[in-house]
Amino acid sequence: MTWLDALGWFGSALLVFSLLQARILRLRVLNTVACLILTVFNALLDVWPMVAMNIVLAGINLYFIARMLRERGDERAYAVLAVREDDSYLGHFLAVHGTDIERFFPGFGAAGGEGRSTYLVQHGDETAGVIVVRDAGDGTAQVELDYVTPRFRDFAPGEFVFRRSGLFRDRGFTRVLTAPGMVAPYYERLGFARDGDHYRLELA
């Protein structure tokens, strides 16, 4: 196999791999890299229709990547909606994503309790995630679930929820404690401090 063959195979494999990604931003980035590799490969073989197609596809990807990155910091991109714990859509969402929720929040129970509130994080008409919070007293909000679907994990909805939405301040909370034992937590990026088996955010 020549280096040119290897380049073509690698680009094709990366293109296929990109389509297996559930996280849309990652899909777009990998797909763009694959298109650029295949552009070079086909140009070296003088296959100009394929060169043109891959350039167009790379351009389309770059357009959507730029739009996604703009939305990432746009407060208007998300909304937090309070829902009842017996809401049928919430029950459906938790059931559909139950396996993934158990993976990141082992031991989370969907059954409610005193002082517990549930919120849907919406991106337009799509549900990006669910926040379940319990009032632990003394101005402390205990987060029991902070789940984001794979599609939206590259878009930082957590930054909006915890820093910009007013979800906690508007309800009189001065401190947020995350769910203990969460797998792959991201809270330090948002200014949370590690506190034993959970993270803590003091609200100004």
Side-chain angles (χ1 to χ4, degrees), residues 6-204:
L7 183 68
W9 280 110
F10 176 73
S12 298
L14 185 59
L15 184 66
V16 172
F17 179 70
S18 72
L19 298 176
L20 299 175
Q21 305 305 306
R23 297 169 70 160
I24 303 302
L25 182 59
R26 181 181 296 177
L27 184 156
R28 292 286 185 183
V29 170
L30 292 177
N31 199 272
T32 301
V33 174
C35 287
L36 294 176
I37 291 172
L38 291 174
T39 297
V40 174
F41 172 74
N42 285 291
L44 293 172
L45 294 177
D46 294 330
V47 185
W48 300 110
M50 296 299 293
V51 170
M53 183 188 74
N54 281 288
I55 289 175
V56 170
L57 291 176
I60 292 171
N61 281 328
L62 290 172
Y63 167 79
F64 280 105
I65 288 170
R67 194 171 80 171
M68 290 174 190
L69 293 177
R70 283 197 304 270
E71 289 183 354
R72 199 173 190 172
D74 187 353
E75 294 185 12
R76 297 168 298 178
Y78 294 101
V80 179
L81 305 179
V83 293
R84 292 167 52 96
E85 287 199 84
D86 59 357
D87 182 85
S88 58
Y89 176 74
L90 173 65
H92 171 73
F93 182 90
L94 294 176
V96 168
H97 297 280
T99 300
D100 203 33
I101 290 173
E102 178 63 24
R103 174 185 167 203
F104 289 99
F105 293 87
F108 169 73
E114 188 69 26
R116 194 176 185 186
S117 303
T118 305
Y119 306 89
L120 295 177
V121 182
Q122 295 294 127
H123 182 272
D125 61 355
E126 295 183 77
T127 300
V130 173
I131 302 287
V132 177
V133 178
R134 186 183 301 277
D135 186 346
D138 297 324
T140 299
Q142 174 65 62
V143 177
E144 298 189 356
L145 179 66
D146 170 24
Y147 177 74
V148 175
T149 63
R151 168 175 163 76
F152 287 97
R153 285 177 193 160
D154 290 322
F155 301 104
E159 182 176 350
F160 170 77
V161 170
F162 291 107
R163 285 295 191 182
R164 305 177 187 176
S165 69
L167 171 64
F168 299 99
R169 290 188 183 90
D170 292 350
R171 288 157 180 79
F173 293 116
T174 58
R175 180 183 301 107
V176 179
L177 297 179
T178 65
M182 176 187 175
V183 176
Y186 63 95
Y187 298 109
E188 286 182 319
R189 300 200 305 268
L190 302 183
F192 282 74
R194 188 68 184 258
D195 187 359
D197 62 350
H198 57 257
Y199 291 82
R200 183 186 71 257
L201 178 65
E202 300 291 341
L203 300 175

